[in-house]
Amino acid sequence: MRILVLGGDGYLGWPTAMYLSANGHQVGVVDNMVRRAYDHELGSGSLVPIETLATRLAVWHDRGGDSISSYYGDLVDSDFLYATIRDFEPDTIVHFAEQRAAPYSMIDRKHAVYTQMNNVVGTLNLMYAVGEIDRDIHIVKLGTMGEYGTPNIDIEEGWLDITHKGRSDRVLFPKRPGSFYHLSKVHDSHNLEFGCRIWGLRVTDLNQGVVYGQETEQTAADPRLVTRFDYDAVFGTVLNRFAIQAVLGLPLTVYGGGSQTRAIIDIRDTVECVRLACQSPAAAGEFRVFNQTTETMSLTEMAKTVTNSFPGASSIVHLENPRVEIEDHHFSVVHTALEDLGLSPHLLSDTLLTSMFDIIDQHRDRVDRNALTPGVNWRASANAASHVAQGSEYVGG
Ligand code: NAD
Ligand code: USQ
């Protein structure tokens, strides 16, 4: 297949592009490099040094991989997006290209507006481009488990069969997300479902859990092919942060009581799930939702798994929760669709954590400990200037 990966320079987009290429697909990547600009804005950066996209592509090719084409530009620029799709002529478009940090979207009004504008407008432009250029192109869109929030009923895969006052219907699963970022994904899902109904688009919405890990077979092949590894309190995700805190001898920062339960997934399963979704497209007019997660754990269980696996001493601290989230709740997620397509999940294990500890140890001197401290507070509606590096420019302009 010809597969265009939007957001192909990011944490997940880059390993996915290489994985799809290694599996025989013709791959193109699109990115506007805004993720690298957030690093400048926040004064943070990847724990592991990463190469430019140009170097990554050259190394991939020099090591025998099929050439991956690249397009530099912004999804919000519809002329660029239309021209790119016309030029590459994809069968499938995998859409990772969004502002993806919940804390970033909660810094202040500007960051909330930027996040929703970037994500919702980018996705709308993509829908229109596919609607006008070729409706057969399958859109594989990265959604998120946090779209659902923590409902007091089991979480189905996107849709819910309900009976109300004696009548039955099948409706989109009710959503109650916990940040303006997660809300942007809900808006995307609704727009995409509408596009399937009116234009017959083919869409797979992958509601992915929190990703952990930093290596896939392809990123491990050469230090110049590694993907980014975020640990700061804005972009670092929870298990990656816990692993880094353990190696640095710092207490693992559980927000609040720690009984909040989240869906998680190993990065090696992310790339495989995307391959499976691409190779088995949604039907014309179908809005298909997969819960892209392999297990669920409370924050306390995640922290204990990390401290138990870490060979040295490590401890856990409970911080006042900077977010607004329910701590004691029901959380039962249906996630059979991808397994039915052939996914055989990697569960969180000592082996993976041990390899993460090794990678972290090699780069421990690069850690800025100040960046680990959470600063963005959900209850404050404005002014998080302290999280923006002095003298840096806000990315949204
Ligand atoms: P990332 O920020 O590392 O990568 C996103 C990439 O998209 C970046 O390279 C960025 O420069 C690019 N981008 C953003 N807006 C763009 C625009 N308007 N035009 C062109 N390029 C743009 O994020 P990630 O962790 O790789 O996540 C990728 C996707 O997966 C996101 O949509 C995210 O919401 C979703 N997701 C991530 C996780 C996770 O734990 N990392 C979990 C669930 C879902
Ligand atoms: N948390 C801690 N300690 C920390 C960091 C986080 O206890 O040091 C807690 C948070 O309060 C939250 C949970 O861990 O309850 C997850 O936080 P996170 O920052 O790892 O993940 P989240 O903000 O939900 O966002 C991440 C990605 C996002 C993706 C989402 C998947 O950044 O792109 O969409 O995971 S999900 O959560 O399933 O929606």
Side-chain angles (χ1 to χ4, degrees):
M1 283 181 169
R2 296 183 63 76
I3 305 181
L4 191 61
V5 179
L6 312 182
D9 186 53
Y11 169 51
L12 302 177
W14 172 239
T16 303
M18 287 191 288
Y19 187 72
L20 294 171
S21 175
N23 277 278
H25 299 291
Q26 293 297 305
V27 178
V29 292
V30 176
D31 211 293
N32 67 350
M33 306 298 152
V34 73
R35 176 67 192 89
R36 294 177 188 244
Y38 306 143
D39 281 344
H40 293 294
E41 182 194 354
L42 300 169
S44 56
S46 167
L47 173 75
V48 176
I50 50 170
E51 293 293 347
T52 61
L53 180 59
T55 302
R56 288 170 157 181
L57 295 171
V59 172
W60 176 250
H61 187 247
D62 290 349
R63 293 182 56 90
D66 276 348
S67 262
I68 297 178
S69 345
S70 70
Y71 299 86
Y72 171 77
D74 192 331
L75 266 58
V76 172
D77 173 356
S78 56
D79 290 343
F80 161 76
L81 188 59
Y82 276 61
T84 300
I85 294 173
R86 286 202 169 97
D87 184 70
F88 188 76
E89 298 184 338
D91 302 302
T92 305
I93 298 179
V94 180
H95 178 15
F96 286 103
E98 299 203 327
Q99 190 301 97
R100 69 102 171 132
Y104 189 88
S105 75
M106 299 300 291
I107 291 177
D108 60 8
R109 182 196 61 79
K110 282 193 300 190
H111 290 80
V113 171
Y114 163 75
T115 299
Q116 294 217 350
M117 186 279 299
N118 186 62
N119 296 0
V120 176
V121 174
T123 300
L124 265 175
N125 282 344
L126 172 64
M127 286 172 54
Y128 265 90
V130 169
E132 290 174 20
I133 295 169
D134 178 1
R135 292 181 184 183
D136 260 346
I137 297 172
H138 176 207
I139 299 175
V140 175
K141 165 71 170 52
L142 269 291
T144 189
M145 282 303 298
E147 290 184 42
Y148 299 113
T150 49
N152 199 31
I153 56 174
D154 290 6
I155 297 174
E156 304 295 329
E157 304 210 55
W159 293 88
L160 183 66
D161 294 314
I162 57 166
T163 300
H164 180 66
K165 295 185 179 170
R167 302 183 68 82
S168 296
D169 206 344
R170 183 167 181 261
V171 296
L172 285 178
F173 196 95
K175 308 280 178 79
R176 194 189 280 166
S179 75
F180 285 118
Y181 152 70
H182 288 94
L183 272 157
S184 74
K185 295 285 195 186
V186 174
H187 304 326
D188 285 343
S189 295
H190 284 129
N191 287 343
L192 287 161
E193 190 271 339
F194 185 57
C196 292
R197 271 190 284 140
I198 58 170
W199 298 328
L201 298 184
R202 304 168 182 268
V203 175
T204 302
D205 203 9
L206 297 174
N207 282 344
Q208 180 168 245
V210 186
V211 181
Y212 59 88
Q214 193 255 349
E215 269 192 348
T216 62
E217 191 185 333
Q218 289 72 37
T219 68
D222 188 303
R224 294 165 297 172
L225 296 178
V226 298
T227 194
R228 49 181 311 127
F229 196 2
D230 295 306
Y231 63 91
D232 62 284
V234 176
F235 274 90
T237 46
V238 63
L239 272 161
N240 289 353
R241 280 167 57 77
F242 285 171
I244 289 170
Q245 288 164 333
V247 174
L248 294 179
L250 299 169
L252 278 56
T253 52
V254 171
Y255 296 167
S259 51
Q260 307 95 302
T261 303
R262 293 291 177 266
I264 57 175
I265 183 167
D266 184 313
I267 191 169
R268 292 168 297 179
D269 290 338
T270 292
V271 298
E272 171 65 354
C273 288
V274 172
R275 183 188 72 81
L276 290 168
C278 291
Q279 290 185 192
S280 168
E286 183 185 13
F287 179 71
R288 184 174 69 165
V289 185
F290 295 160
N291 290 341
Q292 185 163 306
T293 183
T294 51
E295 47 187 329
T296 60
M297 271 191 197
S298 73
L299 299 176
T300 301
E301 285 169 327
M302 290 184 211
K304 284 191 175 153
T305 308
V306 174
T307 54
N308 291 341
S309 305
F310 186 64
S314 56
S315 61
I316 295 171
V317 65
H318 289 266
L319 302 185
E320 188 182 335
N321 198 336
R323 305 187 183 198
V324 175
E325 52 190 14
I326 299 172
E327 294 195 355
D328 297 312
H329 57 86
H330 175 75
F331 199 70
S332 175
V333 180
V334 176
H335 53 87
T336 48
L338 283 156
E339 278 145 55
D340 290 347
L341 284 180
L343 176 70
S344 101
H346 295 88
L347 300 182
L348 184 64
S349 68
D350 289 351
T351 336
L352 175 85
L353 284 166
T354 305
S355 77
M356 281 171 76
F357 296 145
D358 289 344
I359 296 167
I360 295 162
D361 198 38
Q362 285 164 32
H363 301 283
R364 58 186 304 145
D365 294 341
R366 287 172 53 87
V367 174
D368 170 3
R369 291 174 180 232
N370 293 327
L372 282 159
T373 309
V376 182
N377 193 308
W378 264 226
R379 291 166 184 86
S381 63
N383 188 7
S386 59
H387 311 298
V388 177
Q390 282 218 329
S392 70
E393 291 284 319
Y394 156 61
V395 163

